[in-house]
Amino acid sequence: MQIQKNKRHTQLTRRHFMATTAATSLLIGTSRVAAADPIKTAGIYTVPVEQQWVSRIHKAALTAQDRGDIAYTFSENVSNTDYARVLREYAEQGNKLIIGEVFGAEQEAREVAADYPDVAFLMGSSFKEDPALPNFAVFDNYIQDASYLSGIIAGAMTEAGNIGMVGGFPIPEVNRLMHAFMAGAREMNPDITFQVSFIGSWFDPPKAKETAFAMIENGADVLYAERFGVSDAAQEKGILAIGNVIDTQADYPDTVVASAIWHFEPTLDKAIAEVAAGTFTAADYGVYSFMNEGGTSLAPLGTFEGKVPAAAMELVEQRTAEIKSGAFTVEINDEEPKSS
């Protein structure tokens, strides 16, 4: 069966994610669920679980499994055309919670959910929840708060005033992070110019790298690495990069200055609690990615501690406090960003 073929033993992948996220997990409040048995849970992903965005979902699921809240299995590299079939098979196997990302299979996934009203579906989506489909909730990585803060640092670190930005697709989840980053950079220098390009793939490091090389040749001295491959280009050319979703500084200690981190734990833990209580319903779980919910943070500067201008770090501190208190709101702009 295809699910079995795509499945990778969770124990083999846990070390990739737990080793790099132990520090941040201490900062995130978790919601323990008292249940007689773990909730049978499945994850369906269209890319490898090493990919930035999916890795955060996968890590949160492994954490919940280690707590005993869920019994977790997953499939990766599932094509959009095969997504509905795999979704249906997991529902038939008795899973009570199914998580994944349906950006390329929105309609088909919702049709499957309608056939299994007793299964809770929590899906990454560019669209909103539908009250007529009460068992289908949506989420997205609304980490614009930390993206904005990373932009402040980038704006302080660029000497050329030219920043290159490489993204996967110009969809809302990417666009809002780029706009927030750009707004933060302009806080330090309103005259900064941006080169913006999308590679048309969620996982094509060579293409992302080549796109980044072209930006460097065109004067960029800081790169926004929304995709894998961008930081490799920055490292090879001796310039700086800003990470997204995960912290890759350990792999690029002289290159990655800061990263906006996504913590999926608050989102998943809320869903687990609702399923356990029998109160899961259609909702937009995107709010649990906000900074004041513990869903995002700025990664530690690590090797760049003390190397970012003091004025920038003071502003980062100020804005962080204001975001958490509600005194400052980072604009959510889902429109496609353009080069300057």
Side-chain angles (χ1 to χ4, degrees):
M1 185 168 59
Q2 185 68 29
I3 287 178
Q4 199 66 34
K5 185 178 179 181
N6 285 333
K7 199 180 300 178
R8 182 185 300 179
H9 197 288
T10 58
Q11 294 296 330
L12 295 178
T13 58
R14 181 178 291 116
R15 64 178 182 271
H16 294 296
F17 305 103
M18 301 307 287
T20 58
T21 53
T24 55
S25 66
L26 296 176
L27 302 176
I28 304 167
T30 56
S31 171
R32 294 299 300 272
V33 178
D37 296 301
I39 297 168
K40 192 173 181 181
T41 302
I44 309 175
Y45 312 118
T46 61
V47 293
V49 290
E50 285 83 4
Q51 188 257 17
Q52 302 106 298
W53 197 86
V54 162
S55 76
R56 306 307 288 175
I57 303 172
H58 185 63
K59 173 197 168 292
L62 292 176
T63 299
Q65 177 169 255
D66 287 344
R67 292 198 309 257
D69 293 342
I70 65 174
Y72 172 61
T73 189
F74 69 95
S75 294
E76 58 186 344
N77 293 316
V78 177
S79 67
N80 287 327
T81 55
D82 206 29
Y83 203 92
R85 182 189 63 78
V86 178
L87 198 65
R88 190 176 297 277
E89 288 189 5
Y90 272 133
E92 288 286 344
Q93 290 173 9
N95 286 281
K96 293 303 181 183
L97 174 62
I98 301 180
I99 57 178
E101 19 93 32
V102 297
F103 298 103
E106 292 277 357
Q107 185 60 40
E108 297 89 340
R110 292 175 189 245
E111 289 173 359
V112 172
D115 291 338
Y116 298 91
D118 295 329
V119 178
F121 295 81
L122 178 65
M123 294 291 165
S125 171
S126 293
F127 295 90
K128 295 300 183 182
E129 74 280 10
D130 180 358
L133 192 59
N135 63 324
F136 192 96
V138 298
F139 68 86
D140 210 339
N141 63 329
Y142 283 85
I143 62 170
Q144 66 280 343
D145 297 330
S147 295
Y148 167 83
L149 298 178
S150 71
I152 292 175
I153 293 173
M157 296 299 283
T158 177
E159 295 178 1
N162 186 329
I163 296 178
M165 307 182 68
V166 182
F169 293 92
I171 66 172
E173 66 146 332
V174 175
N175 298 344
R176 72 176 68 105
L177 305 188
M178 284 189 165
H179 278 296
F181 173 88
M182 294 162 82
R186 290 190 181 110
E187 287 265 24
M188 300 308 296
N189 179 358
D191 297 322
I192 284 179
T193 58
F194 299 93
Q195 301 178 57
V196 180
S197 185
F198 298 92
I199 63 171
S201 172
W202 291 130
F203 195 73
D204 191 343
K207 188 172 183 179
K209 185 176 181 180
E210 288 303 314
T211 302
F213 278 147
M215 291 179 173
I216 296 169
E217 289 180 9
N218 200 33
D221 67 345
V222 173
L223 296 175
Y224 176 76
E226 200 271 328
R227 292 291 100 194
F228 277 150
V230 177
S231 294
D232 294 292
Q235 183 180 57
E236 287 188 24
K237 296 297 184 179
I239 69 167
L240 302 177
I242 302 293
N244 180 61
V245 176
I246 62 175
D247 184 3
T248 58
Q249 195 185 75
D251 298 318
Y252 308 95
D254 300 318
T255 302
V256 175
V257 184
S259 299
I261 307 300
W262 183 29
H263 306 295
F264 190 67
E265 286 80 356
T267 302
L268 181 58
D269 291 349
K270 174 64 174 175
I272 291 171
E274 296 291 348
V275 171
T279 54
F280 185 91
T281 191
D284 184 354
Y285 277 61
V287 294
Y288 299 106
S289 290
F290 285 27
M291 184 168 282
N292 60 8
E293 293 285 349
T296 187
S297 67
L298 192 64
L301 295 183
T303 55
F304 282 88
E305 193 70 50
K307 298 178 183 179
V308 178
M313 293 314 300
E314 288 170 6
L315 183 57
V316 166
E317 241 183 273
Q318 175 189 334
R319 289 288 190 248
T320 299
E322 291 172 342
I323 289 169
K324 289 181 177 179
S325 72
F328 182 84
T329 301
V330 177
E331 180 186 3
I332 297 175
N333 184 349
D334 287 347
E335 295 179 5
E336 181 176 344
K338 304 293 184 182
S339 298
S340 302

